[in-house]
Amino acid sequence: MKTPTKIIRTDKWRLNPTPEQRLRLSETVGVYRRACRYLVGIIYTHWSELGELTADQLTPAVEKLMHQTRSRPNIKYPQFNKTFYKFPSYLRRAAIAFSAGQVSSFVTRYREWQSGNRKRRDAKPPRLNADSGCYPSLYKGQCYKLHGYDQVEIKVFNGSDWLWTTVQITGLRERHLVASNKMMSPSLVLNERVCHLSVPFICKPEKRKPEANVTAVDLGINTTATIAVVTDSGTVIHREFVHPGRECGSFLGRAS
């Protein structure tokens, strides 16, 4: 079996925020979700044009609709900048990517429903849910900074502005200790029960060492028995057929 060149595995890094920090983290997740709901509406409205673009093309195309700059003073949806004042650019782009994924998934599922491809005949049409799995993706240096593996500094929203706060890390696995593993942007997961960073890693598994050859025997109770020697790659390097009557007779003769 061929060993995959790379796989992605996700670790949970448990956080232990103070009550005040938990409030700020909750504010951050809340404002990110509100931004995503706003963006889902824009993207869905313009999906006939946006749906044809690649991922690299889609983000700047959406920003031209809702993100006002000096070189782009006239935009179709100026309310975003007013509602989400000082919203970090990296979080904005993460929100655009997430929202586009939600819209794409909904459009695909709705078309399947319309075509009659349903689990049940009375199945209700899918809904466009902007909150499902919606947690902010944090970019290194812009949204989070690691201080060893005991503390992480996260940019949070305090209700009016964005500032940095340092949160204690109380539990993590050991994928970060493997030199060949590459850490990707974590997501801040926060609800009533948990508070952690969901940290994906690109892992490069070690090549499997060749194992010893395997000998397999098909006894063939009423037919000729088959003996095969197979390598680790599945190549048969030896095969032999043993007729039970002839071989057993000769064996008994030798035994007597």
Side-chain angles (χ1 to χ4, degrees), residues 217-226 242 244:
V217 180
D218 181 359
L219 293 178
I221 297 175
N222 297 317
T223 58
T224 303
T226 305
V242 181

Side-chain angles (χ1 to χ4, degrees), residues 39-75:
L39 289 166
V40 161
I42 295 175
I43 294 171
Y44 183 60
T45 301
H46 296 270
W47 189 247
S48 58
E49 314 102 66
L50 298 174
E52 302 297 323
L53 303 178
T54 65
D56 292 336
Q57 295 171 333
L58 188 140
T59 297
V62 174
E63 287 185 326
K64 288 180 181 179
L65 293 170
M66 41 66 66
H67 182 53
Q68 190 176 46
T69 62
R70 289 184 180 179
S71 60
R72 191 170 58 227
N74 300 317
I75 54 177

